[in-house]
Amino acid sequence: MIYADYNGSAPICEDVKEYFIKRLQDGPFANPNAIHRLGTKVLTAMENSRAICAKSLGAKYTQVIFNSGATEGITQVFHSVLDSAKEEGKNFVITSGIEHSAVINCAKFYENKGYTHKVVPTLPNGVIDLKQLTNWMEEFKGRIALVAIMAANNETGVIQPFEEIAKVCTDDSVPFLCDTTQFIGKCAFSFKESNIDYAVTSGHKFGALTGTGILLAKHPAKLHPLVIGGGQEKGIRGGTQNYLGYETLAVALNSFEKNGEKYLDLKEKKLKFEAEIKKRFPQVVILGEEAPRVCSTTYIAFPGIHGQAVQIELESADIFVTTSSACSDNEPVTSKVLRAMGVSDEVGRGVVRISLGHCSPLESYDEILEALTNAYEKLGKIKSY
């Protein structure tokens, strides 16, 4: 079996498996907020994990807020920033057309509350139009409450100029929320060097347990809690902490640092795979190919052959891919990301996303190549649509 949907959810990495099994066997288990010895021991392990995550992500220990994942972090930042910004005369929210639905739906929520939502255009290569963003920053100067643009796209793998965006926002004192979910665990990242105000990620994207995540905040005191609870996470997120899950975040990030060089080999193998499939089928389109991409993602289409048909063929060979993001995999239409890039339906309906990780054997690409070749040859004779 070849699992090629790391962008949807990465398998629990081996280091996390080993740690977690031993942790479950050895204990201890307690409420980390209890003042008895076991509670203190659990709390110490959780705070050690926070320190490891901070070091790995180039952040201060106090800037790491544990939560359930990126969607929660995005929602908390929107509420924290926008609940009062309009009273200060700031009524513009800027996002891009390639954002995750968590960002888009938060922006729509505040659009219904009277905010003006501006969507930065996306260039055909999958990169946002930085020039247009800069123009809007000048045009609406003093009225922009929040800019929310991702670091790397979950479908195409295209890396956005987030450090340049951070500089533009910092120069105008505009809070910048960057969804780094598809970047962290695939590329080296330093929160401090990026100069981003808020960054989010989900543990299940890089081998930690599902239901865990991190919100990085340059100034945590500016955040308002979504869950008030008993004052955990220094009052920023109430509720008894998922300390076992948070420990796996540290283990998984350590594993990435330890095995990060494998991504260079993965990138080289991916590029050879892409070159070979294009050699065999010149009409094949690789979305975002001309832009910088994370090294583990290929978003590929054979015009006229439906992506879901290709997905079914690959699954019959025990190769598991998706046709877009997991959130819209059951919709046989061109995704919003590809529409933002100006991709036609003939190409957009034909896409499959192949995403691997540092746990993937490099030989996986050889097997995917042959299975994809067979699928295209078979389906090309009958045409999917």
Side-chain angles (χ1 to χ4, degrees):
M1 185 189 79
I2 296 175
Y3 181 76
D5 186 25
Y6 274 68
N7 286 14
S9 190
I12 296 174
C13 74
E14 288 302 316
D15 288 352
V16 170
K17 282 183 189 176
E18 292 174 12
Y19 174 87
F20 197 58
I21 290 171
K22 189 173 190 310
R23 181 72 175 79
L24 289 175
Q25 290 173 338
D26 297 348
F29 310 103
N31 191 317
N33 308 291
I35 61 172
H36 53 62
R37 189 175 70 219
L38 286 182
T40 300
K41 197 169 183 179
V42 166
L43 178 64
T44 299
M46 186 179 74
E47 294 307 320
N48 285 343
S49 297
R50 193 189 309 274
I52 291 168
C53 291
K55 182 176 180 295
S56 178
L57 298 173
K60 295 178 182 177
Y61 167 84
T62 54
Q63 294 174 327
V64 176
I65 298 107
F66 288 137
N67 61 18
S68 66
T71 294
E72 180 186 335
I74 288 165
T75 306
Q76 184 168 15
V77 172
F78 265 85
H79 287 334
S80 298
V81 174
L82 298 187
D83 275 350
S84 59
K86 203 144 63 90
E87 298 170 6
E88 302 169 5
K90 298 178 179 180
N91 63 334
F92 279 80
V93 177
I94 298 177
T95 70
S96 78
I98 58 172
E99 298 303 310
H100 187 275
S101 56
V103 167
I104 292 171
N105 289 332
C106 278
K108 287 180 178 177
F109 178 85
Y110 279 96
E111 197 173 3
N112 291 332
K113 288 182 171 290
Y115 279 86
T116 298
H117 178 204
K118 302 289 288 184
V119 179
V120 179
T122 304
L123 302 175
N125 64 357
V127 179
I128 65 110
D129 189 340
L130 185 59
K131 183 178 180 181
Q132 180 64 75
L133 173 63
T134 304
N135 289 343
W136 281 349
M137 296 294 285
E138 183 61 33
E139 182 179 353
F140 307 118
K141 198 176 186 70
R143 299 171 60 194
I144 302 171
L146 179 68
V147 171
I149 296 175
M150 59 176 34
N153 185 258
N154 49 308
E155 292 185 25
T156 63
V158 170
I159 298 171
Q160 305 302 316
F162 60 90
E163 291 182 342
E164 290 95 327
I165 297 169
K167 184 180 186 310
V168 170
C169 290
T170 300
D171 289 346
D172 280 354
S173 300
V174 174
F176 174 37
L177 164 62
C178 189
D179 179 359
T180 52
T181 308
Q182 296 291 343
F183 192 84
I184 289 174
K186 297 182 178 74
C187 305
F189 176 73
S190 169
F191 185 60
K192 179 181 179 181
E193 291 178 9
S194 73
N195 207 22
I196 293 167
D197 293 291
Y198 303 101
V200 296
T201 192
S202 295
H204 73 102
K205 301 294 187 182
F206 54 84
L209 292 186
T210 304
T212 63
I214 296 171
L215 166 58
L216 298 172
K218 189 184 288 184
H219 302 293
K222 293 183 179 181
L223 289 168
H224 307 314
L226 286 178
V227 183
I228 296 171
Q232 291 87 351
E233 294 296 295
K234 298 191 182 303
I236 295 171
R237 185 186 194 266
T240 303
Q241 298 95 325
N242 177 11
Y243 60 90
L244 292 175
Y246 300 157
E247 289 172 34
T248 69
L249 290 170
V251 177
L253 286 173
N254 257 347
S255 179
F256 167 71
E257 286 192 292
K258 185 174 68 176
N259 297 290
E261 289 186 2
K262 288 185 179 179
Y263 273 104
L264 299 177
D265 297 331
L266 198 65
K267 179 180 180 179
E268 183 180 350
K269 189 71 173 178
K270 180 195 79 170
L271 294 175
K272 289 180 179 178
F273 157 76
E274 291 177 350
E276 182 59 30
I277 198 70
K278 288 177 69 178
K279 181 180 175 182
R280 297 183 185 187
F281 303 98
Q283 59 271 70
V284 155
V285 178
I286 295 175
L287 288 306
E289 182 181 18
E290 297 175 359
R293 291 177 291 158
V294 294
C295 53
S296 53
T297 301
T298 296
Y299 206 31
I300 189 169
F302 192 121
I305 296 180
H306 209 295
Q308 286 191 343
V310 178
Q311 181 184 19
I312 291 167
E313 289 296 319
L314 293 182
E315 188 165 339
S316 69
D318 271 349
I319 297 171
F320 297 87
V321 300
T322 55
T323 56
S324 56
S325 67
C327 302
S328 58
D329 199 28
N330 61 344
E331 300 175 13
V333 297
T334 301
S335 73
K336 67 180 187 300
V337 170
L338 296 183
R339 290 198 302 270
M341 292 168 60
V343 174
S344 68
D345 283 344
E346 186 182 21
V347 173
R349 292 174 184 170
V351 293
V352 292
R353 182 183 67 184
I354 300 163
S355 54
L356 299 174
H358 73 263
C359 297
S360 306
L362 295 180
E363 296 75 21
S364 296
Y365 274 119
D366 298 327
E367 295 184 49
I368 293 171
L369 175 64
E370 295 310 314
L372 193 58
T373 297
N374 292 336
Y376 284 159
E377 287 178 344
K378 175 182 177 181
L379 296 170
K381 294 175 183 176
I382 58 177
K383 287 286 184 180
S384 299
Y385 61 90

